[in-house]
Amino acid sequence: MDAQLCRRVTDKWKVSLGRMGEERAVQTLVDKGWTIEDRNWRSGRYSEIDIVAREPGGLRVFVEVKSRCRKESSAGFQTIGFETLKRRKQQKLITSARTYMAHIARSNAPFRIDIIVVDFARLAGITDPDNLPEPSIIHVENAICC
C-alpha cells in the first residue's frame, strides 16, 4: 500500500493487518521447523508477547511482530517496524520474557528476543485484506539484548 492509503486506513484494517502479520510470522517460523508454544501471552500490566516459540535447537525465543504497510528509512537504512521499539518497549519485552520464564516455563534457561517485521508495502493499491499476496518478512534474531 502506498503511504497515502496507509494514512487512510481504518482501525479495523489496522487490526486485520496486525493479525495477518502475526499469522505470516507464525507460518514463517513453522516452515523453518520451529514449535509455537504460545501466542499473545500477557503478563498483567507488562507488554504482550506476540509469539513464544522454540527453534529446532531447543532455545526458547520470544518474538515481537511488527506489521507495516509503508517503507520507512533513515540515513539510507531500512527502519520499517523498528521505529516503534523504543527503550521502554524493549524493557517491557524483557520483563515479560523473564516473567514467562519464571512463572510459566519455571526455568532460568537461556532465551532470546527476536523481531519479525512483516512488510506489506509492496502490496500497493490492494484493499482486500483477504486476498493479499505474500509480504516480505524480515526476521532479526537476538534483536533485543537481555
Side-chain angles (χ1 to χ4, degrees), residues 4-125:
Q4 184 178 7
L5 181 59
C6 283
R7 280 187 229 112
R8 293 181 294 167
V9 282
T10 64
D11 287 339
K12 183 178 179 181
W13 174 258
K14 287 180 185 178
V15 169
S16 181
L17 185 73
R19 283 191 195 126
M20 288 186 301
E22 283 189 21
E23 288 300 322
R24 300 289 168 91
V26 165
Q27 191 57 52
T28 298
L29 295 175
V30 169
D31 290 347
K32 290 180 178 181
W34 291 38
T35 304
I36 306 303
E37 292 185 344
D38 217 332
R39 292 183 64 183
N40 304 111
W41 184 82
R42 182 177 282 287
S43 99
R45 61 190 174 116
Y46 297 108
S47 69
E48 175 183 88
I49 297 174
D50 295 327
I51 302 169
V52 180
R54 280 194 188 260
E55 62 180 13
L59 181 67
R60 183 171 281 119
V61 181
F62 299 93
V63 182
E64 174 71 7
V65 179
K66 296 293 181 186
S67 301
R68 293 292 179 260
C69 64
R70 61 186 148 132
K71 294 263 185 222
E72 303 280 338
S73 64
S74 176
F77 295 99
Q78 186 172 359
T79 59
I80 183 168
F82 301 102
E83 70 279 2
T84 60
L85 289 171
K86 305 287 188 228
R87 183 79 179 137
R88 180 175 166 91
K89 175 66 173 176
Q90 292 177 27
Q91 282 305 123
K92 284 185 172 188
L93 287 168
I94 292 167
T95 301
S96 293
R98 287 180 177 159
T99 301
Y100 185 96
M101 291 300 288
H103 297 287
I104 304 301
R106 299 187 194 283
S107 168
N108 61 355
F111 65 89
R112 74 169 195 247
I113 301 175
D114 291 1
I115 298 172
I116 294 181
V117 177
V118 182
D119 179 9
F120 290 99
R122 67 183 188 86
L123 312 179

